[in-house]
Amino acid sequence: MSKFSENVRKYIYQTLSADSDNLILLVTDICHLAAPPKVKPPLIIFNRIPGAIGYAAANNLVFEKDLWLIKTAVSDDDSKTDSPDTLAEKILSRVDELLNGTSFSAANSEILLIRRKSEMPAYVENLTDGDVRHFGAFYEVTSG
């Protein structure tokens, strides 16, 4: 993972995990790449999808761009009051409030901008102890 992408990973994790008033009350964990085997829904999983690197004359780096998938996994019995779809919507709405349209400075003074790009098609994972529903969105992160 490039330094650019590592800075983005840290920012996403720190931003989501620091939201103790809202998001942390809705999920059991926030995981990079995959959830550990013993972690149960509802949770957030995020991972990087490699992007583009733009160069100008003399091989000078102009921009870097990554796509990040941020999704939630919920099961039927995660909430006593909300359906899995409603719980997922609450979680993803808060993620969107925290990340979409934000910018931050990385260690090397580059400005990074995060924008929601598109929805992830929802799907159901059939497990022996019940179904887990996955909902999410793709976020584009650009340096410049």
Side-chain angles (χ1 to χ4, degrees):
M1 186 178 294
S2 71
K3 185 171 184 160
F4 164 79
S5 298
E6 181 61 18
N7 288 334
V8 174
R9 185 197 64 76
K10 287 178 185 175
Y11 178 78
I12 291 172
Y13 182 80
Q14 290 169 352
T15 300
L16 298 180
S17 62
D19 188 39
S20 58
D21 292 339
N22 296 296
L23 195 56
I24 295 304
L25 298 176
L26 296 172
V27 299
T28 58
D29 206 351
I30 298 168
C31 308
H32 178 238
L33 297 178
K38 295 185 180 186
V39 174
K40 300 290 184 198
L43 55 97
I44 292 173
I45 303 167
F46 69 102
N47 59 330
R48 173 182 167 264
I49 299 165
I53 299 174
Y55 291 97
N59 221 13
N60 293 323
L61 181 65
V62 176
F63 72 89
E64 286 187 73
K65 187 185 298 186
D66 272 349
L67 196 60
W68 287 78
L69 170 61
I70 302 175
K71 69 177 185 171
T72 185
V74 297
S75 64
D76 290 336
D77 55 357
D78 286 340
S79 175
K80 293 180 180 172
T81 57
D82 293 324
S83 70
D85 291 5
T86 302
L87 178 59
E89 187 177 307
K90 284 181 179 180
I91 294 168
L92 292 175
S93 176
R94 187 61 189 152
V95 167
D96 215 40
E97 289 173 18
L98 292 169
L99 295 177
N100 189 35
T102 62
S103 60
F104 67 98
S105 296
N108 58 356
S109 300
E110 65 184 334
I111 303 297
L112 305 172
L113 177 64
I114 301 176
R115 289 190 188 121
R116 185 180 179 131
K117 188 79 170 166
S118 63
E119 295 287 321
M120 175 198 91
Y123 66 93
V124 177
E125 182 180 12
N126 299 309
L127 302 174
T128 55
D129 57 346
D131 292 344
V132 175
R133 291 168 170 70
H134 297 261
F135 304 86
F138 294 97
Y139 290 81
E140 184 177 75
V141 184
T142 307
S143 70

